[in-house]
Amino acid sequence: MNKRLLTGTGIALAAVLFGAFNMISSAALRSARFDLTDHKLYTLSEGTKNVLSNLAEPITLRFYLSKKLATGLPGIKGYATRVQEMLEEYAQVAGNQLVLQVMDPEPFSEEEDRAVAYGLQGVPLDNGSTQFYFGLAGTSSTDELEVVPFFQPEREEFLEYDLTKMIHTLANPKKKVLGLISSLPIDGAGAMPMMLQPGGSQPWLIVTHIEQMFEIKKIELTASTIPEEVSVLMVVHPKTLGDPILYAIDQFVLHGGHAMIFVDPLAESDRGGGNPMNPMGGQGPRNSDLPKLFEAWGLEMVKGKVLGDLPLAKKVQIQQQGRMQVVDYPVWVDFRPEHFSADDIVTAQVPTITIASAGILQKKGEMGTELTPLIQSDEAAMKIDASRLSFMPDLGGILSSYKPEGEKMMVAVRVTGNVKTAFPVGKPKEAEKNESPNSPPSTELDDQPSKPHMAESKAPINVIVVADTDMLQDKFWAQVQNFFGQRIGIPTSGNGTFVTNALDNLTGSNDLISVRSRAGYSRPFTLLRTLQQEAEQQFRQKEQALQERLKATEGKLQKLQSQKPEGNAMIMSMEQQKAMGTFRQDLVQVRKELRSVQHELGKNIENVESWVKFINIGLVPLLIGIAGVWMSSSRLRKKSA
């Protein structure tokens, strides 16, 4: 009786302790998180944590998910669970500054009306009778609105970036200002009125593309400062810039500003207008570079060389020996996704990028910076002298002498890291007004600088450098159509997407830029997929055999039909009837074999699934049980001994 009493008391006490432990742990360990996934899918990056911890005003996120409909969509259900759990993690980190509301918009309900009013996109199901919602609406305390109309599974690896960008935009709603420095007529007016540049009457489409996201502020080539309101700097074809504007760019970057710079060893859009600072100086080179700044940042553009990549070359029409021929032009290159950085948000989902007579970027010196390739060639690329393309390209000679160099060459890079100024002695003095136009800019120091001189960056810089300016031209990425006086651009390449992605990324804070893509959530069973592919291959072979038999029998019937005497077209001969019976038997047999293959396919997959479930669910408890029985029996044997 005492033993039974003690046993019952022990069980009751254990139950009480178990319940108490659960209650205490649920309260004390509420914020504890353990991410045991392979790629740390639920661990937020430091950049995201910094954005959430620095929220000054509360933000409300309304997550709309049609839960009942999601259960019937296996491909969406798992992703929807991940999105909701990620949002809950955001709310956990942000505390009271981020309010998460999970909505289930039932058909014809007020929640569905609100979802539509916010701009969410419903996907019709059941022949359009119901709408499936899977989106997010975010609002700030000042009624700013940002929306993800529908979470596309294709952007799963950028989920954290998209969510963090939405929150960052709501917290900083003011439209960003882009500072534009260009010696090309990219804005339609041209750098100088007397420069004979093509397309100077209206802006390039890329500018129209950018204006949808930014307020563009033109900065003259003679400027010595970058306006305070500029969030990101875009420098295009910096041709023979003077020290004052170079110093302004240098200090802008060192003070934490972000920039996107386009240089070119041979700008095809430049007609050799000479020095834009001196339009009366006659013809000049068509290349542009920033060697002084690039050296301080730890990179350089290979001088006098143009990238050629014959396997990726665009085809062009040329006239040879009095007739038109279509040939590969190795300096006009169509880059594909395998030549882009898959980890950088700027290029990760760009379909193609077209470049023309682009330069080659490479690391220079040990400046402590990191060059991350955004666009690079394959190993069949070659350096070609830019002089061979200046006037009349020697295409035949280029093709005959083409020889792959066996290395990948960078066309666009992201430069990050701490750097020192390219002007260690301070701000250069601006050229005197009475100084002759042909004299070089003065490098004397200003006695009273308008801003404190930065000798080195306080935080890592973030600059994107592209060794091509022609990619911005309309003809290399869009077809222009005139629709009732309005210019419409139909993209033929992803150049515009690449540029706007880069600028949008650079206008964010360093915390937002640091958020990188991560691996996808889906972890398919490769063994099951292999079995399915093998069975489908057998199925296709059987199906092909059936089609061949059908074709052969039809041919035989047509041959027999042609041999029948006139007037008996509706009467089948004995041979025809026999052939038809044979064909029907063959048809039944092949269909049986097809059903057998399908049955074996399902059977093999079910067997593998059963084994996987057993290993993941039953094997470990079974092993623990066996170990417990073995230990108990060992103790009993020891006691009896």
Side-chain angles (χ1 to χ4, degrees):
M1 291 295 294
N2 291 335
K3 289 183 178 181
R4 291 180 180 178
L5 181 60
L6 290 174
T7 302
T9 305
I11 293 174
L13 182 60
V16 172
L17 290 175
F18 179 75
F21 175 78
N22 283 337
M23 294 176 62
I24 295 173
S25 61
S26 62
L29 304 177
R30 195 179 191 87
S31 60
R33 295 289 190 275
F34 297 98
D35 189 354
L36 302 179
T37 56
D38 188 16
H39 298 287
K40 302 299 180 183
L41 297 176
Y42 301 97
T43 300
L44 302 183
S45 64
E46 288 300 320
T48 296
K49 293 179 181 178
N50 292 337
V51 170
L52 296 175
S53 61
N54 293 328
L55 292 176
E57 297 290 337
I59 290 175
T60 302
L61 298 181
R62 296 174 177 85
F63 177 52
Y64 286 88
L65 175 64
S66 303
K67 295 182 179 180
K68 293 181 180 179
L69 297 177
T71 57
L73 302 171
I76 295 291
K77 183 180 179 182
Y79 184 39
T81 302
R82 183 190 171 190
V83 173
Q84 182 171 343
E85 291 177 348
M86 180 72 80
L87 290 171
E88 291 171 353
E89 187 70 17
Y90 272 64
Q92 178 70 30
V93 174
N96 296 330
Q97 295 299 88
L98 184 63
V99 179
L100 175 62
Q101 299 177 2
V102 180
M103 309 291 187
D104 186 359
E106 295 285 343
F108 308 106
S109 64
E110 293 184 1
E111 291 299 337
E112 183 180 24
D113 294 339
R114 292 193 190 97
V116 173
Y118 281 130
L120 269 67
Q121 178 183 353
V123 176
L125 299 177
D126 299 333
N127 297 324
S129 60
T130 57
Q131 298 285 327
F132 174 69
Y133 292 93
F134 180 30
L136 182 68
T139 56
S140 65
S141 58
T142 56
D143 294 331
E144 298 290 336
L145 175 65
E146 289 290 326
V147 177
V148 177
F150 192 88
F151 282 102
Q152 300 291 342
E154 293 80 9
R155 288 193 61 83
E156 178 184 357
E157 56 186 317
F158 307 110
L159 175 61
E160 183 182 3
Y161 179 84
D162 291 340
L163 295 178
T164 305
K165 180 177 179 293
M166 169 187 275
I167 295 172
H168 182 269
T169 303
L170 289 171
N172 303 274
K174 187 177 179 181
K175 193 173 184 179
K176 305 295 183 182
V177 178
L178 180 141
L180 176 62
I181 301 174
S182 177
S183 62
L184 293 176
I186 187 172
D187 60 340
M192 298 291 286
M194 300 184 67
M195 291 180 65
L196 300 177
Q197 299 284 5
S201 60
Q202 51 190 346
W204 294 4
L205 277 178
I206 194 67
V207 173
T208 306
H209 210 52
I210 295 172
E211 285 177 336
Q212 298 176 4
M213 302 173 59
F214 303 95
E215 176 187 344
I216 298 179
K217 185 176 184 63
K218 182 69 179 292
I219 300 175
E220 298 298 330
L221 302 176
T222 56
S224 58
T225 58
I226 305 298
E228 289 286 344
E229 63 269 22
V230 171
S231 303
V232 63
L233 192 62
M234 182 176 176
V235 182
V236 180
H237 202 40
K239 188 175 177 181
T240 60
L241 296 185
D243 277 352
I245 188 67
L246 290 178
Y247 177 78
I249 297 173
D250 172 86
Q251 292 297 295
F252 176 81
V253 172
L254 293 181
H255 278 88
H258 302 145
M260 188 175 190
I261 301 174
F262 295 85
V263 293
D264 205 320
L266 181 65
E268 298 183 16
S269 57
D270 187 351
R271 295 294 181 259
N275 187 349
M277 305 283 293
N278 178 23
M280 302 301 294
Q283 297 297 309
R286 299 166 63 186
N287 66 300
S288 59
D289 198 357
L290 290 177
K292 196 167 189 176
L293 298 183
F294 286 176
E295 184 176 1
W297 299 343
L299 80 154
E300 66 176 350
M301 184 174 67
V302 179
K303 189 174 182 180
K305 297 293 183 180
V306 169
L307 173 73
D309 200 327
L310 191 57
L312 306 178
K314 288 184 73 70
K315 292 187 178 297
V316 297
Q317 279 190 342
I318 63 171
Q319 188 171 5
Q320 286 186 345
Q321 299 178 352
R323 60 179 182 176
M324 299 300 295
Q325 294 184 359
V326 177
V327 296
D328 293 324
Y329 193 36
V331 297
W332 286 8
V333 180
D334 282 330
F335 287 114
R336 297 187 288 269
E338 56 264 30
H339 306 105
F340 309 147
S341 171
D343 298 327
D344 200 298
I345 191 69
V346 171
T347 54
Q349 289 191 333
V350 178
T352 59
I353 292 178
T354 302
I355 58 101
S357 59
I360 302 157
L361 301 172
Q362 62 186 19
K363 189 175 180 63
K364 182 179 182 181
E366 297 296 333
M367 299 300 175
T369 54
E370 180 182 355
L371 303 186
T372 303
L374 298 180
I375 307 174
Q376 60 181 348
S377 70
D378 54 24
E379 296 180 350
M382 173 187 175
K383 301 183 185 74
I384 300 175
D385 291 335
S387 58
R388 303 178 68 176
L389 304 167
S390 296
F391 298 101
M392 295 295 293
D394 181 18
L395 183 55
I398 292 173
L399 292 174
S400 61
S401 62
Y402 191 90
K403 185 178 180 181
E405 299 187 15
E407 63 173 322
K408 295 181 179 181
M409 302 179 189
M410 299 185 295
V411 175
V413 298
R414 186 190 288 270
V415 185
T416 55
N418 293 301
V419 299
K420 294 183 179 180
T421 180
F423 296 85
V425 294
K427 181 179 180 180
K429 190 175 181 180
E430 295 182 9
E432 299 291 341
K433 290 184 180 181
N434 58 356
E435 191 172 328
S436 63
N438 294 324
S439 62
S442 172
T443 56
E444 297 180 25
L445 300 184
D446 254 337
D447 296 333
Q448 295 180 349
S450 57
K451 274 187 177 183
H453 172 74
M454 290 282 292
E456 59 182 304
S457 60
K458 293 183 178 180
I461 68 168
N462 203 305
V463 177
I464 293 178
V465 180
V466 184
D468 185 38
T469 60
D470 298 308
M471 69 175 299
L472 303 176
Q473 282 196 81
D474 298 350
K475 67 177 183 179
F476 288 111
W477 71 278
Q479 291 181 351
V480 182
Q481 297 181 356
N482 192 305
F483 184 73
F484 294 101
Q486 183 180 3
R487 295 171 71 236
I488 304 296
I490 302 175
T492 58
S493 185
N495 297 18
T497 303
F498 166 69
V499 173
T500 52
N501 281 357
L503 294 173
D504 184 41
N505 180 250
L506 291 172
T507 52
S509 64
N510 287 331
D511 293 324
L512 179 59
I513 294 173
S514 68
V515 179
R516 292 286 188 259
S517 63
R518 58 180 68 203
Y521 175 81
S522 178
R523 299 284 299 277
F525 291 114
T526 56
L527 180 58
L528 296 180
R529 181 173 296 178
T530 302
L531 290 174
Q532 186 174 7
Q533 290 174 349
E534 291 176 354
E536 287 177 352
Q537 182 66 24
Q538 297 178 18
F539 183 85
R540 283 192 293 268
Q541 291 175 356
K542 294 291 185 181
E543 186 179 28
Q544 186 178 1
L546 173 62
Q547 294 294 338
E548 291 176 355
R549 291 184 188 179
L550 177 62
K551 186 176 180 181
T553 305
E554 288 176 345
K556 189 175 181 180
L557 288 174
Q558 290 177 0
K559 184 178 179 180
L560 292 174
Q561 185 72 25
S562 63
Q563 295 175 355
K564 290 192 302 181
E566 295 183 1
N568 296 326
M570 300 299 294
I571 301 174
M572 294 183 63
S573 64
M574 293 297 296
E575 189 176 356
Q576 287 177 320
Q577 294 178 8
K578 184 178 179 181
M580 183 61 69
T582 303
F583 166 68
R584 287 173 177 170
Q585 292 177 1
D586 291 343
L587 182 62
V588 172
Q589 181 63 29
V590 172
R591 286 179 175 173
K592 286 182 179 179
E593 294 175 1
L594 288 175
R595 286 195 297 270
S596 176
V597 171
Q598 291 177 326
H599 177 72
E600 290 296 325
L601 167 63
K603 186 177 179 181
N604 291 340
I605 292 177
E606 288 177 0
N607 289 338
V608 175
E609 287 181 346
S610 300
W611 276 106
V612 170
K613 290 179 180 179
F614 172 73
I615 293 173
N616 283 278
I617 301 174
L619 181 60
V620 173
L622 181 61
L623 293 176
I624 293 175
I626 293 173
V629 172
W630 179 79
M631 292 176 64
S632 299
S633 61
S634 299
R635 290 181 179 179
L636 290 174
R637 284 196 300 268
K638 289 180 181 180
K639 288 182 178 180
S640 61

